[in-house]
Amino acid sequence: MSAQVSLKARRGNAYPIPPTMKAWVLGDPEQLSLVDKPVPEPGSAEVLVRIDAIAVCATDIEVIKHGVPAMIDGGLPFNKGFTPGHEYMGTVVKLGPTVDEFAVGDRVAVEIHAGCGRCPRCREGMYTSCLNYGYRAKGHRANGFSTDGGFAEYAINNVNTMVHIPDTISDAEATLIVTAGTAMYGLDVMGGVIAGEPVVVVGPGPIGLMGVGVAKALGAQPVILTGTRDSRLEMGKKLGADHVVNVSREDPVAAVMRLTAGKGVNYVLECSGAPNALNEAGRMVTRGGRICLAAFPHEPVMVDLAHLVRNNIYVFGIRGEGKSATHRAAALIAQKRFDAKLIHTHTFPLAEVPTAIRYARDRVDGAIKVVVQNRVT
């Protein structure tokens, strides 16, 4: 077959696409129903992705229960035929007009946010902080938040939200690229990690564990992981943590000072959302140190601002996997710089999404990252 014929075949419809698909939709809070929905059509700069696997994220659980941070046309996502889920990967099966960045048959991992492309934040590359968030009429897309997500058989994605993945990355592992991308974004906004500089990662959840892997891959030394569960801390060691601290047995600030000979660290990636996490992080960093908040408490908390100001400590908050961090995280995973698939603990089919969510929410059987697999690999 000539290269020209081969390319034409890839551009063609090599995958039969049905008129309808199975998809989970959100009714009232915590009420999911499996229904038939029309398979969407890709527009300009969009492709149709056959969803092969999707991971359950803690934010999905928040959306299903509380609605926020999802927002559809300025309102909560309940009873709008909305399909949640955002950490998915799949196969490109149809191209929209003008698309030549991808081909039918490409395996891709996806980002959540496309943004509107027209507001000042999007033009700066901060599309996860789009000023038109939730308003589809102004072009904003954030799959699983303001537009339909991945607990379905197909989804539409903008070409800017996808990254090619090699066959050496399994479907389940590819769903973790977004999680690693969030950790990468957190390190990016703090100025990037320079090889040899110390980092603390607080909270060994999925983002924290991926934060350990990314920080170590970028050369941080030492990488210290703190948390309350020994099994998660041991997994952190496998992902590259030089030291782990169980905060139920040792004060985390004292432990960090012990491990750094009283100097503290330059960066703290806070992934726990614990009420006192920012205050503790502020005492782990050196003067002029930097803290990134990748999680948040559910209630307002007291913060010692005077300590942060007196010590010239920078505090950053991030949303999602901005500034193409997913692409850089995908490169690290493809290069086997850390073993992302270690945190994949359970797998369910699409028909059992509520069970998958329950396992993730309640940490049933030690669940860390629960994956819904649409395609047997």
Side-chain angles (χ1 to χ4, degrees), residues 11-263:
R11 291 281 187 256
N13 184 13
Y15 295 84
I17 300 170
T20 62
M21 65 178 181
K22 293 295 183 184
W24 289 92
V25 299
L26 181 61
D28 290 332
E30 299 192 272
Q31 297 297 316
L32 287 172
S33 300
L34 186 61
V35 305
D36 290 317
K37 293 176 76 169
V39 173
E41 282 288 325
S44 180
E46 294 178 338
V47 306
L48 180 67
V49 175
R50 183 193 71 192
I51 299 170
D52 296 331
I54 176 172
V56 179
C57 176
T59 309
D60 296 328
I61 298 168
E62 287 293 307
V63 167
I64 291 166
K65 184 174 183 178
H66 300 292
V68 293
M71 181 184 295
I72 297 178
D73 298 332
L76 293 176
F78 301 118
N79 297 301
K80 293 182 178 177
F82 165 70
T83 295
H86 60 273
E87 293 185 346
Y88 60 91
M89 59 76 59
T91 303
V92 175
V93 294
K94 190 172 185 179
L95 307 176
T98 76
V99 173
D100 58 11
E101 296 89 344
F102 292 86
V104 169
D106 285 351
R107 294 176 71 237
V108 293
V110 305
E111 294 187 34
I112 304 157
H113 300 84
C116 71
R118 62 196 273 186
C119 75
R121 292 290 86 79
C122 284
R123 289 176 60 83
E124 294 167 351
M126 294 182 67
Y127 46 85
T128 61
S129 300
C130 176
L131 299 180
N132 289 315
Y133 183 90
Y135 291 93
R136 292 177 292 180
K138 299 195 80 171
H140 179 267
R141 292 192 66 92
N143 284 6
F145 290 90
S146 66
T147 45
D148 278 343
F151 288 132
E153 292 181 298
Y154 295 91
I156 293 293
N157 271 86
N158 186 283
V159 294
N160 290 336
T161 64
M162 301 187 299
V163 56
H164 289 99
I165 53 175
D167 290 339
T168 54
I169 297 178
S170 69
D171 288 357
E173 187 176 10
T175 66
L176 306 174
I177 288 174
V178 169
T179 309
T182 301
M184 175 71 80
Y185 186 34
L187 295 170
D188 280 354
V189 299
M190 290 191 288
V193 176
I194 298 172
E197 294 195 344
V199 173
V200 170
V201 178
V202 179
I207 294 175
L209 289 169
M210 289 295 92
V212 167
V214 171
K216 195 64 178 178
L218 295 176
Q221 180 68 31
V223 176
I224 303 168
L225 174 65
T226 71
T228 60
R229 285 160 281 167
D230 285 331
S231 61
R232 297 281 186 99
L233 294 173
E234 286 301 312
M235 189 166 291
K237 287 183 180 179
K238 295 177 182 178
L239 285 161
D242 299 289
H243 307 284
V244 297
V245 177
N246 188 315
V247 301
S248 63
R249 294 195 292 266
E250 184 176 7
D251 177 83
V253 176
V256 168
M257 290 304 166
R258 172 177 58 80
L259 293 168
T260 60
K263 296 177 182 178

Side-chain angles (χ1 to χ4, degrees), residues 272-280 296-303:
S272 73
N276 202 40
L278 179 52
N279 287 321
E280 290 179 342
F296 50 87
H298 292 287
E299 301 295 336
V301 298
M302 296 291 291
V303 176

